[in-house]
Structure formats: structure tokens, C-alpha cells
């Protein structure tokens, strides 16, 4: 059996911590890259029975030499690295935009055939919520510099596919957390198990070309389309509704007219105060 080799950037972050134990598998090796040491598997909510085959690379996603080296021999790159919340424009440009271009360029130079990019709902954060799930090709309406960096990410992925033929799948991630802590999350949640299902589908699907796929669970109250995910073989099974009774008991039923946090995709990220940081 040939080993499938996968590079994960942002390996010390929260999303990687949810993903890593769930995609460890026989015949698969993970190369974990971050500026900080990734946690031990025993510190994570680990569900793997397989023996992990992991290697750690310490360094920045903005270092092209290091990234190219890290990409050598890889079958796929899962690029989770970068700032995960709003920050000063310069930092977002440096870490997220430069980091994404560097990751794609490194993948191209090293001949990695497939790249999975962690985009975000904040690329379309100012889209109003509608009664019908929003498709992945809805126009970009970033809500922050962070959201803008995800627009750039999707554009860079498109360019690297069109120019160089690399398969690029952008995951428009909703809220990829262990659970749901607010009413908006009932719409935007992606469970850890579904996150792993999505990644497995993206690794498995033949010749995806360039795609944008929503990263959410099969939430009863979802705002985003599952069609693009289904097209790559992602069939989520979890539903945030299990968190609804407790949240509704605490906050009441969602009042979409009263609260921008419930009426735009990006929720509170669309508040001016958050976007004002420079
Ligand atoms: C994201 O893109 C962020 O990285 C994460 O911290 C959450 O805020 C998430 O979106 C969300 O919208 O819930």
C-alpha cells in the first residue's frame, strides 16, 4: 500500500486540533506545520485507534523556502494556517494573504496536485440571510480584513487552478467548533466529525478542478447550501438542533429583524466597530 502524504499548515490551531485525530489512518502520514509546537495527540479530543504517522515542521506559512521544502513529496496540502479572527490590515495582508499565496506557490513548485484551503463565511459576511440556503457562488461581500483575505484566498486558488492546473477546493467554513454557543451557530455550525468527513471527501474526489464548498453540518436551521458539498461527496450527518433547546431557553427564538448578528452571514463581524480596527 502506498502512503498518502498530507501537509497541514496551522497545525497548532483549534481547527487542526479537531481535525487531526479524526483523519489519522493507516497508510496516511501527516506533516504538521506551524510556528508553535502542535499539541500532543493525547491533549486533543482524540478518537483514533490508528497509530499516528506524524512529523512536525516548525515555521511560518509566509516562508516560501520552508513551505516548498515542506510540500516536497506531499499528495495534498490542507492550508489552515493564518490569523483566524479580525486583526490589523497589515497583519492580515502579511499572514493571511501572503501566507496563502506562499502556500499555493510552494505547492506548485513542489508538484503537490491538490490543495484544500480554509476559506470562511466572512468572505460573504455582508450577504443577508435568506430563507433559502445561500449558494457557494454568491457574490463576495467580505465583512472584515479577515473576510477580505478569504476573498483573496479564493481568488488565488482559482488562479493557481486556472494557470497551473492544481486541484483547489476552498472550504467556506461556517463555525467549525466542538459545539454551538450562540443562536447564529445553529445555522453556521460544522461539527468536528462532519469537518473530518468534508476533508476526506475533498481528498477522495477525483479531479475536482476548482471548487468552493460550504463547510457546515446538516443543520436544520442552516443558511448555506449543501449542494456543492454533496457534489464532491460530502454528506454531513450532524445537526446543530441538539443545541437548540438550551440556547432558545436562554436567549429566546432568533429574532432576525432585531439583530444584525442573525440577519447577515457574518453576524457580529458585520458590526462597524469590529471592521474599524487598523
Ligand atoms: C471564522 O472564519 C473564524 O475563524 C472563527 O473564529 C469563527 O468566528 C467563524 O468564522 C464564525 O463565523 O463562526
Amino acid at each position: 500500500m502506498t502512503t498518502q502524504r498530507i501537509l497541514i499548515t496551522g497545525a497548532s490551531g483549534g481547527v487542526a486540533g479537531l481535525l487531526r485525530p479524526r483523519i489519522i489512518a493507516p497508510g496516511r502520514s501527516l506533516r504538521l506545520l506551524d510556528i508553535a509546537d502542535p499539541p500532543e495527540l493525547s491533549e486533543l479530543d482524540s478518537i483514533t485507534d490508528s497509530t499516528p504517522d506524524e512529523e512536525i515542521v516548525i515555521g511560518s506559512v509566509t516562508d516560501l523556502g520552508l513551505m516548498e521544502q515542506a510540500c516536497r513529496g506531499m499528495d495534498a496540502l490542507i492550508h489552515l494556517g493564518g490569523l483566524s479572527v479580525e486583526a490589523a490590515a497589515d497583519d492580515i495582508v502579511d499572514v493571511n494573504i501572503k501566507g496563502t499565496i506562499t502556500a499555493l506557490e510552494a505547492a506548485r513548485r513542489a508538484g503537490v496536485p491538490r490543495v484544500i484551503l480554509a476559506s470562511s463565511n466572512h468572505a460573504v459576511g455582508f450577504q443577508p440571510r435568506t430563507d433559502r440556503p445561500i449558494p457557494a457562488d454568491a457574490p463576495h461581500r467580505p465583512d472584515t480584513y479577515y473576510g477580505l483575505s478569504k476573498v483573496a484566498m479564493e481568488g488565488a486558488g482559482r488562479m493557481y487552478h486556472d494557470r497551473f492546473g492544481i486541484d483547489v477546493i476552498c472550504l467556506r467554513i461556517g463555525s467549525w467548533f466542538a459545539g454551538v454557543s450562540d443562536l447564529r451557530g445553529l445555522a453556521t455550525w460544522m461539527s468536528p466529525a462532519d469537518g473530518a468527513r468534508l476533508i476526506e471527501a475533498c481528498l477522495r474526489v477525483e479531479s475536482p478542478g476548482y471548487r468552493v464548498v460550504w463547510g457546515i453540518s446538516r443543520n436544520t436551521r442552516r443558511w448555506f447550501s449543501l449542494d456543492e458539498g454533496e457534489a464532491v461527496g460530502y454528506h454531513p450527518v450532524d445537526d446543530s438542533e441538539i443545541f437548540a433547546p438550551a440556547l432558545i431557553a436562554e436567549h429566546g427564538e432568533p429574532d432576525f429583524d432585531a439583530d444584525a448578528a442573525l440577519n447577515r452571514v457574518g453576524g457580529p463581524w458585520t458590526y462597524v466597530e469590529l471592521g474599524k480596527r487598523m
Side-chain angles (χ1 to χ4, degrees):
M1 183 168 61
T2 51
T3 300
Q4 182 188 40
R5 308 184 71 198
I6 301 170
L7 172 63
I8 302 179
T9 67
S12 305
V15 161
L18 296 174
L19 178 64
R20 203 175 125 208
R22 290 175 171 82
I23 59 165
I24 287 169
R28 176 178 283 167
S29 78
L30 303 180
R31 185 174 283 172
L32 308 171
L33 185 143
D34 207 305
I35 49 174
D37 270 326
E40 298 291 330
L41 266 178
S42 57
E43 295 170 48
L44 301 173
D45 150 38
S46 174
I47 56 163
T48 182
D49 291 330
S50 307
T51 311
D53 175 358
E54 296 184 319
E55 179 193 354
I56 293 168
V57 179
I58 299 295
S60 168
V61 290
T62 61
D63 179 341
L64 182 56
L66 176 99
M67 281 295 293
E68 188 180 339
Q69 239 181 346
C71 280
R72 293 251 168 251
M74 295 295 116
D75 298 302
L77 161 61
I78 303 174
H79 179 53
L80 307 175
L83 300 168
S84 65
V85 291
E86 179 62 331
D90 282 351
D91 294 337
I92 291 284
V93 169
D94 264 9
V95 182
N96 285 18
I97 299 185
K98 188 174 168 222
T100 298
I101 294 171
T102 304
L104 283 161
E105 177 59 14
R108 182 191 75 77
R109 291 186 185 188
V112 181
R114 181 162 308 194
V115 178
I116 299 168
L117 297 173
S119 183
S120 166
N121 70 88
H122 297 288
V124 298
F126 270 102
Q127 281 287 344
R129 181 200 61 82
T130 61
D131 289 332
R132 284 201 310 190
I134 298 170
D137 64 0
H140 285 136
R141 294 184 67 174
D143 54 25
T144 44
Y145 298 119
Y146 169 84
L148 186 59
S149 76
K150 299 303 181 180
V151 174
M153 170 181 269
E154 293 182 8
R158 169 108 249 177
M159 187 191 94
Y160 269 81
H161 171 70
D162 286 342
R163 262 187 111 78
F164 306 114
I166 301 176
D167 285 327
V168 179
I169 306 180
C170 301
L171 310 181
R172 242 341 139 61
I173 299 167
S175 307
W176 190 348
F177 294 121
V180 176
S181 57
D182 57 19
L183 291 174
R184 173 177 171 271
L186 295 175
T188 59
W189 188 53
M190 180 161 69
S191 72
D194 279 340
R197 283 183 192 103
L198 175 56
I199 292 290
E200 294 291 1
C202 291
L203 291 171
R204 201 172 41 233
V205 63
E206 270 182 47
S207 309
Y210 173 80
R211 309 263 180 149
V212 180
V213 171
W214 282 107
I216 52 158
S217 281
R218 195 173 292 284
N219 305 324
T220 302
R221 301 168 195 245
R222 65 183 174 273
W223 295 344
F224 313 130
S225 163
L226 290 178
D227 294 350
E228 299 83 357
E230 303 269 353
V232 296
Y234 170 51
H235 307 294
V237 301
D238 293 325
D239 185 342
S240 61
E241 211 52 23
I242 50 167
F243 301 101
L247 284 167
I248 288 166
E250 190 182 344
H251 304 286
E253 279 290 341
D255 181 352
F256 295 113
D257 296 326
D259 190 352
L262 292 172
N263 225 358
R264 298 185 196 126
V265 164
W269 290 50
T270 61
Y271 295 162
V272 171
E273 299 74 40
L274 188 72
K276 241 172 33 191
R277 280 210 245 156
M278 281 280 276

